[in-house]
Structures are given as C-alpha cells and as structure tokens.
Amino acid sequence: MIDYRKATVPVWALATGDVQVPAVVGDEPMTAERLGELRSVLAALAAEPIATLEVHPLPDTLDRSRGIPLDAVSPLAQHLSQLITQSARSSSVAAKATAAGENLYHMVVPAKVAAQFGQGIVRPMVAKGVACGIRGPLVNSTGSIAAHATFVPVGKAAAAGAAGGAGATAGVAAAGSVALTVAAPLVLMAVAVGVSAHVDQKRQQAIEHITELLEQLHEEKLDDEHSELDGCRDAIDKATAVLLDQGKLGASLGLDSAVHAINTALGKADRRLARWQSALDKVPDGEAVEIATLTKSFPGVDEPGGTFRAHLELAALAIALKQRVIVLQAVEHAQSDPGNLFENFARVLKRDHQRLTALESGIAGVLVRLSALELARPQSLRPVFTTGEVDRLMRATNRIHQLGDGAMVDSRATDVAIDIAREKDGSVIVFPALPAQT
C-alpha cells in the first residue's frame, strides 16, 4: 500500500455531455471526504453523468496481469494522453504530477451510470486473507483508497483535453455552469474496458472451479459443455481488441458462433434452474428432507464436488461470457453513433441483461433455499446409526448449509471505480471495474 497522506492529487471532473450545475467544485484543495461529498452533489444535480479522475504515482509493485493492456495508439490511451497534455499546459499541479509519464489514474463513475450497465454487473471481489478487503492496486488492509491525500481540482483549461479521435466530444460545459471537462469518449472507453476486465476475471474463476470439478466427475457431457464455452474466449478477446481500436467486427472473428454457444449454455442453465425450483417447491414447509431424496434433484449436493456444483459453475461461466458480449455490443453501437455515446451505450447494455439478472437471482434463491433445509435422518430398520453414517450426515448438513454463503447479492447501483495504469510510452492497462469505496 502506498502512503498518499502527504501527496497532492490532481482531480478532473469529467462530464459526458453539456451540463449546467451550481458552482460546487471551485478551485480550492479538498480532502478525500470532501471529494466524496462533491461526487454525491454532482450525481444528484447534473443532468448528464459526471465522473471524476484522479492521478496517483504508479505503485512499485503492480500485478499488470489482472488488467487489459491497450497500446498508445488505442482510442482510450489517446484520449487520456490528450487530457494530460492539455491539463499540463495550464495547471502546474497537473504538470508536476504527470511529468514522469507513468501514473495510476483512478476514475469513479457515478451510480446512475453504473445502474445503466445493469444491476449487479460490478460486484465486490473479496481478497483472500483480508477482512472486508477488495482487490485493487490502490487498496489498503481495510479495502479503501488512502483517505489523507489533498485533492486539487484541475480547472477550465483542461476542458479540451478529451478532444481527438473518432466520436470525441470535448469543450467547456454550458455557460454559467462550473468548469467541467467534457470527456464522453474517455469515460465510455474506460468503463467498457473496466467492465470487460471485471467479467473476464469472473470467467477465469469459473473455469478454474469447473476444471477441478470435472476432473473429479469424469462427466463427458459436462466436459463438452465446458469446452464449448471456453472455446468462445478467443473470439470474444479478438472482438474486444478490434472494437477498442475502433475497428469493425467481421464474420471471420467467429463472434456469431460464440454468441450462439453462450446462448445455448444460458438456455440449459434456465432449464436447470426451473427444475431446481420445481424440486424445492415440492418440499413441504417445515419438514426435514432425506439426503437421498435431495440428491435425486441435486446430484452431488452433499459432496465437495458433484454434478450440481458443476452445473452452477457452468452457469456462472455462461453469464460472465454473456456479460462480455453485452459490453462488446454496447461499444460497437456507441461507436457507430458517436454523437450519442452514453445514451446508446446504456440502451444496448440494458438489452439482455435483465435475463442475466433474473438467472443469477434465481440461482441465488435456490442456494439460499437449499441452505435453509433441515436434513432428516435416513430411514433404517436399525435403531442405531454407525459412526460413519453420523459423520456423513453431519458433513452433508454443513456443506448444504454453506451453499447460501455469499449467494445473496446486493444489486443496488453503486459508484464504480476503474484504475488505469499509464506507462511512459503512453500505453495503458485497465484494471477490473470495482464498486467504489466510500
């Protein structure tokens, strides 16, 4: 963790359109708490979403493998470079902070924009061994960004910083309003890459779990499902690279076939969910259930691995891949209509996401219901159980009760934080989007 208590941190207010808000920003240094309050005010009063962008020193140790790299000629890197160049001309604070050429940029996008991405698409990822910790390059043991830096607003002269590139819109906000950098393309591309990195991390986690489970199960049909889904990654990765370079998608990328495979997997997950819900509906309220009865509908639910758990991981993998596809579709449509970046982005992201939310919520509901079940003693002619039978019942009870841990997801919209590491050559690495710490 880097100690920023003595640091002076430049901060930009990035508007995604011409907005008019009361003069609440000012040009005086502020604390992190004051910056948080300012974000809340801007989110409530601004007609268009307003993000903030801070610049910090690049940490000495940074796991770059967690992010998505983009070269210096990519639109995101160019928008960021132009913002830095224009700001440095008129702000000594910004010039000093960015002089080394390599920094870590911390963008916070308001909750009203996060809600447009789809409820719950960005969720906390708990770091192992850290109580309440959130993974990220700028977090400390409590999971929050250092709160004692002095933040200095970068003023009007930076307003042209986001200009350039296809579809760029830049300039000072509407007359009579506070000075804001209009940087829709920069915010759009940062969000697109950050969300894509976030869901790809979920995909990697699902694949790790599935691989381990299938090695135990030796289920060829499930292994085929896994292989078909994992085979979609190459097409999605290539389509992501093309779109982030503002290219056009073509049939040669194979994205259409990948989407078909993902939709097929989601269809299987929907049908499995319906069967699970139906089985639980047949359980009389308040009555205990035998393990043998439960495993008929949820095979392997009482074991460390099992078919049921493999089905859960396959559903998680299909959802993560579909979320990446939704972001790709949004970027493609937004770039095809550069004059309407954010509205297009929100509209396309919203499509299909309701289905994913319903599927995730349904699965979470099944896990919670399973975890609340009382397991009955197996029927037997013998009046006494063996030690092995008792141990199996206790282990099964613990495993089933643990299914509900973490299943309840808070889907309320939260501010989204995206970290962008900029190297000296102008290339960038965008880290997975996370819920912003308050």
Side-chain angles (χ1 to χ4, degrees):
M1 175 62 191
I2 297 176
D3 187 356
Y4 288 121
R5 284 176 291 183
K6 298 180 181 180
T8 299
V9 179
V11 57
W12 291 264
L14 304 179
T16 57
D18 289 340
V19 293
Q20 188 167 359
V21 295
V24 294
V25 177
D27 54 5
E28 295 297 321
M30 65 184 88
T31 63
E33 291 78 9
R34 171 58 181 157
L35 179 59
E37 294 172 357
L38 177 62
R39 289 192 185 109
S40 298
V41 172
L42 290 175
L45 298 180
E48 298 287 343
I50 297 174
T52 58
L53 181 68
E54 308 159 18
V55 54
H56 298 269
L58 194 64
D60 294 331
T61 57
L62 190 63
D63 183 7
R64 288 166 169 78
S65 66
R66 294 175 46 250
I68 293 180
L70 300 172
D71 59 35
V73 298
S74 65
L76 172 58
Q78 288 185 341
H79 292 317
L80 183 58
S81 294
Q82 290 160 7
L83 175 67
I84 295 167
T85 301
Q86 294 294 333
S87 300
R89 292 174 182 171
S90 57
S91 169
S92 59
V93 174
K96 182 179 179 181
T98 59
E102 54 180 14
N103 295 93
L104 190 67
Y105 293 84
H106 183 72
M107 181 181 291
V108 178
V109 182
K112 65 166 68 175
V113 180
Q116 295 170 348
F117 304 155
Q119 297 290 345
I121 194 171
V122 175
R123 295 170 185 160
M125 301 179 67
V126 179
K128 292 181 179 179
V130 181
C132 300
I134 302 296
R135 294 176 183 167
L138 277 179
V139 296
N140 57 21
S141 59
T142 63
S144 60
I145 293 175
H148 302 290
T150 300
F151 295 86
V152 179
V154 179
K156 271 186 184 180
T169 57
V172 180
S177 66
V178 67
L180 298 173
T181 302
V182 183
L186 175 59
V187 177
L188 167 67
M189 299 304 290
V191 170
V193 186
V195 170
S196 185
H198 175 83
V199 295
D200 191 55
Q201 223 174 39
K202 293 197 295 183
R203 178 196 62 79
Q204 292 173 5
Q205 291 175 340
I207 285 179
E208 291 172 4
H209 295 155
I210 292 170
T211 301
E212 183 178 346
L213 289 171
L214 294 184
E215 286 176 352
Q216 300 172 17
L217 288 172
H218 303 291
E219 289 275 358
E220 290 188 9
K221 289 184 178 180
L222 293 180
D223 194 52
D224 288 343
E225 284 187 45
H226 174 216
S227 297
E228 191 168 4
L229 277 175
D230 198 29
C232 300
R233 182 182 64 173
D234 185 60
I236 292 175
D237 286 346
K238 287 178 180 174
T240 301
V242 169
L243 281 178
L244 294 180
D245 285 337
Q246 290 190 333
K248 298 294 183 181
L249 296 182
S252 62
L253 292 176
L255 190 60
D256 288 346
S257 59
V259 171
H260 174 73
I262 295 167
N263 287 339
T264 300
L266 289 173
K268 291 179 180 178
D270 282 328
R271 290 191 295 275
R272 286 166 181 159
L273 173 60
R275 289 198 295 268
W276 297 336
Q277 292 172 329
S278 176
L280 288 171
D281 289 341
K282 295 176 182 176
V283 177
D285 292 339
E287 290 190 16
V289 184
E290 288 190 34
I291 295 178
T293 301
L294 199 61
T295 54
K296 289 179 181 178
S297 300
F298 304 92
V301 70
D302 59 329
E303 302 170 0
T307 302
F308 173 65
R309 295 172 192 270
H311 286 165
L312 291 176
E313 295 299 341
L314 285 167
L317 175 56
I319 289 170
L321 289 170
K322 184 65 173 180
Q323 286 174 332
R324 282 202 72 181
V325 169
I326 291 173
V327 175
L328 286 175
Q329 292 170 334
V331 176
E332 182 181 19
H333 284 264
Q335 290 181 168
S336 68
D337 185 8
N340 196 12
L341 286 171
F342 244 80
E343 291 181 8
N344 238 339
F345 189 50
R347 183 167 61 252
V348 179
L349 270 177
K350 199 169 183 178
R351 188 178 66 193
D352 289 341
H353 195 73
Q354 289 181 341
R355 177 188 178 188
L356 297 184
T357 301
L359 179 57
E360 286 188 300
S361 299
I363 291 174
V366 165
L367 295 177
V368 170
R369 291 173 69 183
L370 277 172
S371 68
L373 289 177
E374 178 184 352
L375 295 185
R377 296 171 55 179
Q379 294 182 3
S380 175
L381 297 176
R382 292 180 289 110
V384 179
F385 288 104
T386 66
T387 302
E389 289 173 330
V390 173
D391 288 344
R392 180 178 181 242
L393 179 62
M394 292 181 65
R395 286 196 300 270
T397 300
N398 289 334
R399 289 184 183 121
I400 291 172
H401 286 174
Q402 290 171 359
L403 287 172
D405 294 347
M408 292 300 291
V409 178
D410 185 356
S411 61
R412 291 176 298 175
T414 61
D415 289 354
V416 171
I418 302 162
D419 289 320
I420 305 171
R422 184 176 186 269
E423 309 289 356
K424 288 185 177 180
D425 62 0
S427 62
V428 297
I429 298 174
V430 185
F431 292 92
L434 295 172
Q437 298 298 302
T438 56

